[in-house]
Amino acid sequence: MPKVALSLQAAKDKESDILSKLSKVQQASKTHKQQTKLNQQRHEWIEQLRSQRRDAKRLEEELRNLTESLNFVKEMEQAKAETDELANNTWFQVNGVRQLMTQLRSRNPERLQKAPAQALALQDIFTSVAAALGGQGMALAAQAYEFESELRSERRALRSSGALAAGPSSTAAPTHDG
């Protein structure tokens, strides 16, 4: 009988050995599953980070473009305000000269001959009005030239992008801006 007792004892030892190894395997499996879940979570976070960085770059580019366009709009508004102010000042001066001329027509011409200082003052006024009108004309001519230059460059850009999009087989006739 001692053999059976030894076998029973050996079986119990074997069973406890197997159970301890099984618990180690289960523990390792649990740890591996947790590590896999953590790795998956890290991977998702990395993908979210990349996506957010792409979005941030896109939004920064949009913001930069909008800022540039707003600056352009502000510059255009400022230029328009300056042009309007110059035109208003010029027309204010012209209207003042018109009123002065109306008053001079109703005055006695002999009185003007007796006061040559008034004639010199009138000559100064007419000179300043002529200078203001000349300056306004030059400013308008310069602005028209700038607009025409911008228009030509935009047309060239549109034509070159249209030519690239249409390809070399395009049959559009070339035009010249001058």
Side-chain angles (χ1 to χ4, degrees):
M1 286 233 198
K3 264 190 166 184
V4 173
L6 275 177
S7 316
L8 187 58
Q9 185 60 35
K12 284 183 181 179
D13 289 342
K14 198 70 155 161
E15 180 183 2
S16 72
D17 186 39
I18 291 173
L19 286 176
S20 71
K21 287 181 181 179
L22 179 63
S23 73
K24 286 181 184 177
V25 168
Q26 286 176 340
Q27 185 64 30
S29 173
K30 218 181 224 185
T31 304
H32 182 68
K33 283 182 182 178
Q34 288 174 347
Q35 192 64 33
T36 302
K37 286 181 182 178
L38 288 174
N39 286 340
Q40 287 174 345
Q41 186 66 37
R42 279 189 209 126
H43 181 70
E44 288 176 15
W45 286 344
I46 289 171
E47 287 301 314
Q48 287 176 353
L49 177 65
R50 287 178 183 160
S51 173
Q52 289 173 350
R53 284 183 179 167
R54 280 191 304 267
D55 289 344
K57 284 181 183 178
R58 179 183 51 82
L59 291 172
E60 285 175 358
E61 183 65 27
E62 286 180 16
L63 179 62
R64 191 175 308 115
N65 290 340
L66 288 173
T67 302
E68 289 173 1
S69 68
L70 286 177
N71 284 338
F72 177 71
V73 169
K74 287 179 183 177
E75 289 172 4
M76 293 301 292
E77 288 174 354
Q78 185 179 14
K80 184 182 182 311
E82 290 172 0
T83 304
D84 289 347
E85 182 180 346
L86 181 60
N88 288 339
N89 287 341
T90 303
W91 288 114
F92 180 75
Q93 289 180 7
V94 168
N95 285 333
V97 170
R98 285 180 181 163
Q99 289 176 358
L100 184 61
M101 291 301 294
T102 304
Q103 290 175 359
L104 285 175
R105 284 186 192 130
S106 65
R107 289 182 93 184
N108 186 358
E110 292 175 10
R111 186 173 174 192
L112 186 60
Q113 288 176 352
K114 290 180 183 177
Q118 288 181 355
L120 292 175
L122 281 176
Q123 185 178 6
D124 287 342
I125 290 172
F126 289 135
T127 303
S128 67
V129 169
L133 288 174
Q136 179 73 16
M138 289 174 56
L140 289 174
Q143 191 176 16
Y145 178 77
E146 288 177 25
F147 288 145
E148 288 175 4
S149 296
E150 288 178 26
L151 180 63
R152 278 193 295 274
S153 66
E154 291 298 323
R155 283 181 180 165
R156 284 187 194 112
L158 285 174
R159 286 185 185 129
S160 65
S161 66
L164 292 175
S169 65
S170 176
T171 57
T175 59
H176 298 283
D177 288 341

